[in-house]
Amino acid sequence: MLIHLFTISIFATPSVFADCPSEVSPTAGQKIILTGKVMDTDGNWLNDVNVSMRPIDVQTSTDPNGDYAIEFLWDEQLKPNKRGIIAALKFEKEGHLDKTIRVRSMEFFSSAKPLLVKLEPKPIEKNIAGFTTPMNTFNAVGKKSSGDAEFHVYIPASVDKVRAAFYLSRHGIGNITHPILQKFAQEEKVALVSMYGDPVQRGLKDVSLTDTHLKKLAKLSGHPELVDAPILTFGHSNGTGFAACWPAQRPEQSIGWISFHPGFTAYLQLPNTEKVPSMVMLGTVDKYFLNGRQDETVKEMRQLRNAAMSTMMEAGVGHGPVDADIVWELVVEFCKAAMRVRLGNDGELKPIKIEEGWLGATYNIETGGRQHLEIAPYAEFKGDRSTANWLMDEEFAKVWQAYARTDHLQKR
């Protein structure tokens, strides 16, 4: 992954700090701009991170690709306090631990040395059953990985028997603690299962390596049916490998899968994934999308494999979500539709019949922005059926269409 590091620019003559001792202040009113990038500990760019500096009251937020610029004039307030701290930069993002960088030398403001800022995810809630175990695996594309892997499960107390399990990689935004997901789990009797750590979070070449750990989760939760429950999967960025590896290896157990802003296009083309309904969400200003054009990959999958796939283009959105609530609401609607269409009363999965679904028009990249994309039953669709977005039923097609034309950036 190409990483743009945190850099500092100061608008002054080159000699301002050259030979000055650290206790000498810059000229009052001097313009200073700090620019940089914020990421999570897995290397995903974080948008909408609040960046602020004290004692001068200045703040900004990161853009869709994690970049930001904070500008201020040098002020007499910027002098060491009793603890020798001149200023403090604070980085805040929902779902992550705050990070503060304390500036103790004015050389910090004159240095061109790049500084990478990474935010750690908040730890899993204590009331969720789980454990950590060492693993040696190969990821979905065959790269060896080893280390600790975390497995957690959330099943609402009101659920007597699990109908399905929703596997989420905690790579990026994936989690099982969000209220929208937990409400979905309660209403649809779904177990939320998260996996985290290098051996699992980007996918596995052999998903059977998790079987023992899922049996342990089943025992910890008191739900033995969890082991054989049909599954939905979700992955963000390279977590797409996680979302795709179960449909690829166990299509007979997979209800549907979601790729959120994929970082590696090949995951979308794994064998058998075309047999399982999927939604690929893409941000139009995400650098991974601009480099990989995964929308074209989905079109190819539709045309060459008659894949049960759709894209959701998010105009003006980068690698992270504009609003996690909005994303999870759409993801839940996709999951409900997949369960409606595929999950029988006996727990058996029904095969996909492409001609019985709905189709949605493809997004026009050149036009850009939010678009009203036409939807229709398969037989009534007027466009190219071979490349159109495949949608499971009328109810989800209308949700998909509404999401596509709504400018969520304006609702924040």
Side-chain angles (χ1 to χ4, degrees):
M1 176 186 295
L2 178 63
I3 298 176
H4 298 276
L5 300 180
F6 178 97
T7 59
I8 302 172
S9 300
I10 300 182
F11 290 75
T13 59
S15 61
V16 168
F17 298 109
D19 299 307
C20 296
S22 61
E23 66 271 9
V24 177
S25 296
T27 305
Q30 182 174 311
K31 183 180 178 181
I32 298 176
I33 299 178
L34 308 181
T35 63
K37 181 179 284 288
V38 184
M39 312 172 78
D40 65 16
T41 51
D42 291 322
N44 296 298
W45 305 317
L46 294 177
N47 60 301
D48 294 327
V49 177
N50 185 67
V51 184
S52 60
M53 190 178 80
R54 302 188 314 272
I56 294 180
D57 186 20
V58 290
Q59 64 178 356
T60 188
S61 59
T62 55
D63 71 9
N65 288 304
D67 297 308
Y68 72 91
I70 188 167
E71 180 178 329
F72 62 95
L73 298 178
W74 189 268
D75 189 282
E76 290 184 358
Q77 296 180 67
L78 290 170
K79 57 185 179 180
N81 62 16
K82 294 180 179 179
R83 293 182 294 169
I85 298 173
I86 298 172
L89 283 167
K90 190 171 185 179
F91 300 84
E92 301 169 281
K93 170 74 173 178
E94 183 180 0
H96 296 76
L97 299 176
D98 295 348
K99 184 167 187 175
T100 300
I101 296 177
R102 293 175 176 82
V103 181
R104 296 179 180 274
S105 169
M106 287 182 296
E107 293 179 0
F108 177 89
F109 296 104
S110 62
S111 173
K113 182 179 180 181
L115 175 64
L116 175 63
V117 178
K118 289 191 174 184
L119 300 186
E120 296 182 7
K122 287 185 177 178
I124 204 81
E125 293 178 3
K126 293 182 179 179
N127 63 342
I128 293 177
F131 58 91
T132 300
T133 185
M135 289 185 71
N136 292 298
T137 64
F138 288 89
N139 68 18
V141 291
K143 184 178 179 181
K144 190 173 183 179
S145 182
S146 62
D148 286 343
E150 298 179 19
F151 294 82
H152 291 87
V153 62
Y154 169 81
I155 301 176
S158 61
V159 173
D160 53 352
K161 184 177 180 180
V162 168
R163 293 177 61 217
F166 190 12
Y167 294 0
L168 298 101
S169 166
R170 282 174 56 207
H171 182 81
I173 71 166
N175 70 86
I176 58 174
T177 62
H178 197 285
I180 290 174
L181 290 175
Q182 294 192 349
K183 181 182 178 183
F184 163 64
Q186 181 176 8
E187 292 176 347
E188 300 296 331
K189 297 186 176 182
V190 171
L192 303 179
V193 177
S194 75
M195 302 185 197
Y196 183 66
D198 282 340
V200 289
Q201 66 188 28
R202 297 176 183 86
L204 300 94
K205 189 175 181 180
D206 181 3
V207 297
S208 68
L209 294 176
T210 64
D211 288 351
T212 298
H213 308 309
L214 288 165
K215 288 178 182 178
K216 186 173 181 179
L217 287 182
K219 184 176 181 180
L220 287 172
S221 64
H223 284 270
E225 72 277 12
L226 176 63
V227 174
D228 298 314
I231 62 173
L232 300 145
T233 61
F234 174 93
H236 176 193
S237 189
N238 278 342
T240 294
F242 175 95
C245 66
W246 269 274
Q249 297 174 48
R250 294 180 177 174
E252 74 286 349
Q253 187 185 5
S254 301
I255 308 172
W257 61 284
I258 305 104
S259 166
F260 180 74
H261 300 182
F264 190 47
T265 304
Y267 292 138
L268 302 175
Q269 300 168 299
L270 294 179
N272 294 322
T273 52
E274 71 275 4
K275 302 175 183 178
V276 181
S278 63
M279 177 174 64
V280 181
M281 298 183 68
L282 300 166
T284 60
V285 297
D286 183 353
K287 293 177 182 177
Y288 285 117
F289 166 70
L290 296 173
N291 290 335
R293 285 303 300 270
Q294 293 89 350
D295 60 323
E296 296 295 333
T297 302
V298 173
K299 286 183 182 179
E300 290 178 9
M301 289 288 287
R302 287 282 300 117
Q303 190 171 50
L304 301 178
R305 300 195 207 171
N306 201 20
M309 298 183 78
S310 65
T311 56
M312 171 49 65
M313 303 298 301
E314 298 187 285
V317 177
H319 199 54
V322 169
D323 186 307
D325 289 356
I326 294 170
V327 170
W328 291 128
E329 286 171 1
L330 180 63
V331 166
V332 163
E333 289 301 325
F334 172 89
C335 291
K336 287 180 177 179
M339 292 174 70
R340 280 196 304 270
V341 171
R342 301 213 63 206
L343 191 56
N345 293 329
D346 58 0
E348 295 296 317
L349 293 186
K350 304 172 187 176
I352 283 296
K353 297 180 180 179
I354 296 295
E355 293 76 13
E356 294 181 4
W358 279 55
L359 295 177
T362 56
Y363 181 90
N364 188 314
I365 296 294
E366 287 68 32
T367 300
R370 289 284 166 175
Q371 298 176 16
H372 179 83
L373 303 176
E374 295 298 328
I375 57 173
Y378 185 95
E380 300 174 20
F381 187 74
K382 302 302 183 184
D384 185 349
R385 295 174 189 169
S386 70
T387 58
N389 291 291
W390 187 83
L391 309 167
M392 287 165 286
D393 60 11
E394 180 179 7
E395 185 175 344
F396 179 68
K398 290 179 177 178
V399 170
W400 178 88
Q401 183 186 57
Y403 191 101
R405 67 170 178 252
T406 304
D407 188 350
H408 301 297
L409 291 166
Q410 298 298 321
K411 301 179 80 174
R412 296 163 58 195

